[in-house]
Each structure stands twice: as structure tokens, then as C-alpha cells.
Amino acid sequence: MDDRRFDSLAKSLAAGASRRTLFKGLLGLGGAAAVGSTLRDDGAEAARRPTPTPKPPSCPGQQTPQGGQCVCISPPAPGPEKCGPDCCNPAGIGAAHSECCDNACCYGVCYGEELCCDYPLVFCEAQNECCGPDDNQCCGSEGCCDHACCPIADGTNACCEEPTPKCCGGDACIPADGCCSDDECAGGCQRCVDNVCTDVRANCPGGDTGCFDCVSGACQKNTAYCDDNNACTSDICTDSGACSNTFSCTSDACCDDGNACTADTCDTGTGVCSHSPYCTSNDCCPSGQECDTSTGQCFTPCDALGETCDGSSCCAGLHCYPVVVGALSVCGPCLPDGAPCIPGATCLGCCNYALGPFCSPVEVCLPEDAPCFFVDELCCSNSCTLGLAGPTCD
């Protein structure tokens, strides 16, 4: 191409000539015709092709195309906000909350130099830090706490150190099973003492000096408080909390009235004592009488052997027997076994004529017609009858 044709092409470009005109100038007429024929063939081919389906617009991240724009849709209104390619939800709570932070969604709290505390971390403004997950509580100026944050007496807060702490008004921390007031205890007689529910006996009937105990918040009678160390009393805790120690015998020893002249016995069924007269010495008997210790009875003694019987029984402890058969009778002592006896006298056993007569533990009767000396006892069931041969058993 010479210089004149190049200059002409440049002018044509500057004047906005069509590409076909340019091709003609560039290629010459023959060349242009050839090129034009080729272009006409390509256009016809293009006309025969199907029209392509328009491609819908695409949006970045979680945005959705609507009305020719990329928006964040999450009905009902207000919806989330666009933040870079994401859709943030500042109205959400907990894990659903997100906010725009440096043109990106922070799924938590955005703070400081466009920094993000991701949920479930908690932002602590006092220390400008994220708390958690092991220390996810913000405690005022103390910063992040790994346990509870409790108010203390000076109006500030303090971090608890126990694994399962609990806050009480005015106190920093107490154990999780502790109490802040009496209302948190089991009731009844329990009280909250040093943040621990404590059984308090003073709250039961009778107080600290009564006979009740406080057990798991309930008042219960304890008769051990009423034990007077006396086996002869019934120890009872009354409903008022006072002790009752009433006499109730459990043995004869409980009934000792201090009187040597009474027999003291206990009726264990009723717990009642009885005191019967019972002499143990002459001191127990009225003046002029003596004590028979074998029977526990007092008697008026007979003066001496030979005192005449009055036809009735002799004095206690003595027996009436005839000195001479059929003649005078006197009071004398009861004779032991084997001692000679006078017929008619009362032995400890029997006065048996056949034996001498001697006192014998076994009664021996004389046979019929045997001499009996007018003593019926010698004949046992028979009578001593006077006959031709004298008094004999009949």
C-alpha cells in the first residue's frame, strides 16, 4: 500500500466511514467484492440460526435478583440488609443475629476496629474483648468470667470461681445448692444460715431446752431428752416440748417405801405399787407383840409353859396340847419331827402315838380297838371312845 492510500484510509476512519467502505479502500474493488460476497454468505447463515435464550442476571452471595436489582429478601419486613455479597439480619436473636462489619456479615457482634465476636461469644465492652466459650460472661470492669458474675456489697461486680456458683443479694458467690433466704429452705424449722439450709432446733416446740429435734426441716419428738435415769418413771415428750416423768413401777424395787415393816410389790401391768404390812423385826409390831419372821405377822407371846389354854387357839407360833390326858391343856411350841410329843399337841408333822409317841412327817393312825388315851388324833378318821377295855379307837 502506497502512502496515498494509507492517508485516504486514515481520513475515512476519522470521518466515520463504514467498514465496507474501508475494506474497499483497503483491498481495492475486487478485494472488496470478494469480501462482500463472503460477508453476505455469513449473514445468511446467521439468519438461519435460532435466537439464543437470554441468560438471567446473577447476584453475588445470598442476594436475590428482583426488579433488575440484587436484594436481600426475608419476609416479613423488615428484611435483612445487604452487606457485600451476604444478607445480614441485625434483628435476629442469638444464632440468628448478624450485622454488617467492614462490608461483610458478622454472625455475632461487630466491635472495635471492625472486629467480630462470633456467636456464642459475648462482647465485653469494659475490656474490649470477646468472652467465651468457656468464659462467656461479661462482668463489668472485671471483664470475662468463666462462671457467674455477681454483684458485691460495694456496688461493683465480681467473677465467681466455683464451677456451679449462685448469686445472692449483697454476696459475691455461693454454691449452687446454697440459699439466699429462709424461703428457699425446706420450711418448718429450717433456716438459711451462712447460705446453707440448716436444721434449727430452737424453732421447734420447747426451743433449745425442749424435747424436739429438727430433722430435714421437720420437728420430731426425741424422748432421749426426757430421760431422768430413773427406771421407775415413764419418760414422755409432750406436744408442748416439755418433758413428763411420771412414776410407773417396772419391778418391786421401784416400790420400796423405805418402811421395813411393809411388803412392797409392783403390778407391772398397771405400774402401781402396793404396800402390805409385813414385819421383819419386833420393831414392826405394836407394843407387847413380837414378830414371827417366818410368817411376817405380829403375835402376843405366851408367858411360859403351863399357861392354860382358853379353849381357843393359842398365841401365834404356839400350839395347845394337853399335859395329862383328859386334864389340863397348855400352850407350847410347835415340835419338830422326831421330838417326843404329848398326845394332842400339834407337831410340825404328826404326833404319832405308835412311834412313842414322836412327831412324824407322816400320819400314822392306830388300828381299831387300839388304846388311844382319849386322843382322837391318834385314831385319824375314827374316834377315841371309852369302852370296857378303856379308851380305844372305834
Side-chain angles (χ1 to χ4, degrees):
M1 179 184 300
D2 57 24
D3 293 337
R4 286 178 298 176
R5 291 186 64 188
F6 181 81
D7 290 340
S8 176
L9 178 60
K11 289 178 180 180
S12 297
L13 289 171
S18 67
R19 287 181 293 175
R20 182 171 296 181
T21 304
L22 293 178
F23 275 115
K24 287 180 179 181
L26 179 63
L27 302 175
L29 182 59
V35 170
S37 174
T38 302
L39 290 175
R40 282 195 301 271
D41 292 342
D42 291 342
E45 181 64 27
R48 286 194 295 269
R49 292 198 209 103
T51 303
T53 302
K55 183 179 180 182
S58 62
C59 292
Q62 302 173 27
Q63 299 179 34
T64 302
Q66 188 178 64
Q69 294 184 348
C70 292
V71 297
C72 294
I73 299 176
S74 180
E81 301 172 352
K82 289 192 297 181
C83 188
D86 294 324
C87 297
C88 299
N89 184 18
I93 299 175
H97 175 84
S98 60
E99 54 189 64
C100 196
C101 187
D102 195 19
N103 202 34
C105 273
C106 170
Y107 292 90
V109 179
C110 182
Y111 72 100
E113 297 292 332
E114 301 296 333
L115 301 174
C116 178
C117 281
D118 290 324
Y119 180 84
L121 303 184
V122 177
F123 175 63
C124 193
E125 185 175 0
Q127 300 295 334
N128 198 39
E129 62 179 334
C130 295
C131 300
D134 295 329
D135 52 352
N136 59 359
Q137 300 189 52
C138 179
C139 191
S141 61
E142 290 225 344
C144 299
C145 280
D146 55 354
H147 300 301
C149 173
C150 293
I152 55 178
D154 62 3
T156 60
N157 298 324
C159 289
C160 294
E161 298 179 356
E162 297 297 325
T164 54
K166 176 181 177 181
C167 298
C168 251
D171 296 329
C173 301
I174 65 170
D177 58 353
C179 59
C180 297
S181 67
D182 293 344
D183 295 338
E184 297 179 47
C185 297
C189 53
Q190 272 195 350
R191 296 294 181 267
C192 185
V193 180
D194 295 331
N195 303 121
V196 177
C197 285
T198 306
D199 290 329
V200 181
R201 181 185 171 200
N203 294 321
C204 292
D208 287 329
T209 59
C211 53
F212 276 79
D213 274 331
C214 181
V215 181
S216 299
C219 291
Q220 299 180 2
K221 292 181 180 180
N222 185 351
T223 55
Y225 290 119
C226 297
D227 186 2
D228 59 358
N229 295 317
N230 186 348
C232 302
T233 59
S234 179
D235 305 325
I236 299 173
C237 177
T238 65
D239 293 340
S240 66
C243 290
S244 171
N245 305 100
T246 57
F247 177 81
S248 178
C249 68
T250 55
S251 67
D252 291 344
C254 295
C255 298
D256 186 2
D257 59 359
N259 186 350
C261 300
T262 58
D264 307 320
T265 56
C266 170
D267 184 343
T268 56
T270 61
V272 176
C273 292
S274 61
H275 308 281
S276 304
Y278 187 89
C279 70
T280 56
S281 68
N282 291 338
D283 294 336
C284 297
C285 299
S287 177
Q289 292 189 350
E290 295 180 3
C291 172
D292 184 352
T293 56
S294 64
T295 63
Q297 301 298 318
C298 292
F299 67 94
T300 301
C302 296
D303 292 337
L305 186 64
E307 180 180 352
T308 303
C309 295
D310 58 5
S312 61
S313 61
C314 288
C315 304
L318 298 177
H319 302 282
C320 185
Y321 59 91
V323 175
V324 179
V325 175
L328 185 66
S329 295
V330 296
C331 290
C334 186
L335 301 176
D337 291 341
C341 61
I342 298 172
T346 304
C347 300
L348 290 176
C350 300
C351 185
N352 292 314
Y353 176 79
L355 298 178
F358 289 96
C359 289
S360 170
V362 179
E363 184 179 49
V364 177
C365 297
L366 295 177
E368 290 184 5
D369 300 328
C372 56
F373 305 101
F374 296 104
V375 180
D376 288 340
E377 288 88 341
L378 298 178
C379 300
C380 298
S381 59
N382 297 324
S383 298
C384 185
T385 306
L386 180 61
L388 295 177
T392 57
C393 290
D394 183 14

